[in-house]
Amino acid sequence: MKRFTLLALAGLLILALATGLVAQGLGTVWSRAATIAHGLVGLCFLLLVPWKSPIVSSSLRRRRKGAVWSIALAVAVVATIASGLLQMTGTVRSIGPLTTMQVHIGAAVLAAGLGVWHYRSRPVRPRPADLQRRNLVRVAVLTAGAGVLLAGWETMVGATGWPGGRRRFTGSHERGSGNPAAMPVTQWFTDKVPRLDRTEVTVAGRVLGADDFARLPHDTLEATLDCTSGWYSTQEWRGVRLDRLLGDVRGESIAVRSVTGYIRRFPADEADRLWLAFELGDAPLSAGHGFPARIVAPGRRGFWWVKWVDSIEVSGVPAWLQVPFPLT
Ligand SMILES: Nc1nc2c(c(=O)[nH]1)N[C@H]1C(S)=C(S)[C@@H](COP(=O)(O)O)O[C@H]1N2
Ligand SMILES: [Mo]
């Protein structure tokens, strides 16, 4: 069981990161699947504690080198799982300056780094023989056990009436829907809210002003912005659909750049599903929410909803040729 436990923990760490990234990267049904898988993986860690504990005690007794880092890894894993379970309940919005989800992600990144170090200093190399029947049965039992725990936790969250019972399939909690003033203002990493007075946006090389935009057909749509920091807000947005702005899109992607330099590339064939919005809830956008214009990208996570749009350009660079998550 020792060898199985160590291999399983390494595999779980990889799976936890992969499912977490998919859950956070997508705003569609794939995020739902990944979020459930992510929960199962997290609880598998807990189920392995009884088998990992004796391994930990014996190496602590032998005073193996790097014990401090191993303890740090254990703390990071516990913090990751605890904040994940807490996020599900919706009872604690923030811990210090960070949202519960941000604590979860921060602890997970730490655990991943320490986990890689831990594995390299005590490697257990997987072998084809590890795929023996007994281990496959163990994986099945572990998964089933995690399923029972997950269902139990969900049932408890529902029964207590905690806000988590109403969370979205991405794990995000509702904030200020239908009330723009109560909707959080969030930046990805480093951007600051700029106070702009100009209303021009460069579209395919042409500088368009408020009058130009007013002449174009507008849509009012209800759309949900779902931020990876763990909240979502459904609002009424008003703006111009990108295919009406750009006409026939001849290129691979639509690059939307913010005044701040923040940039996202959308696949060219999505022009009829993206909006350049000027209004939120019947009023011009506030500075915080992207004045004069921002992207509304239904079904895409919040970090795609570029604020303070400076330019929209069709480009020959494919949309997949960009980091999946912005770096600044
Ligand atoms: N230019 C720019 N646009 C941005 C961001 C940013 O940091 N810079 N953050 C994104 C993220 S992570 C989210 S969740 C939404 C938040 O929109 P809001 O502040 O209107 O709620 O804006 C997105 N647009
Ligand atoms: Mo976000």
Side-chain angles (χ1 to χ4, degrees), residues 230-244:
W231 58 269
Y232 75 86
S233 193
T234 305
Q235 304 287 350
E236 200 151 273
W237 306 90
R238 192 163 163 75
V240 179
R241 223 168 65 192
L242 290 201
D243 60 339
R244 301 210 167 110

Side-chain angles (χ1 to χ4, degrees), residues 140-159:
V141 171
L142 198 58
T143 312
V148 171
L149 279 186
L150 189 60
W153 190 255
E154 286 289 18
T155 307
M156 191 201 60
V157 169

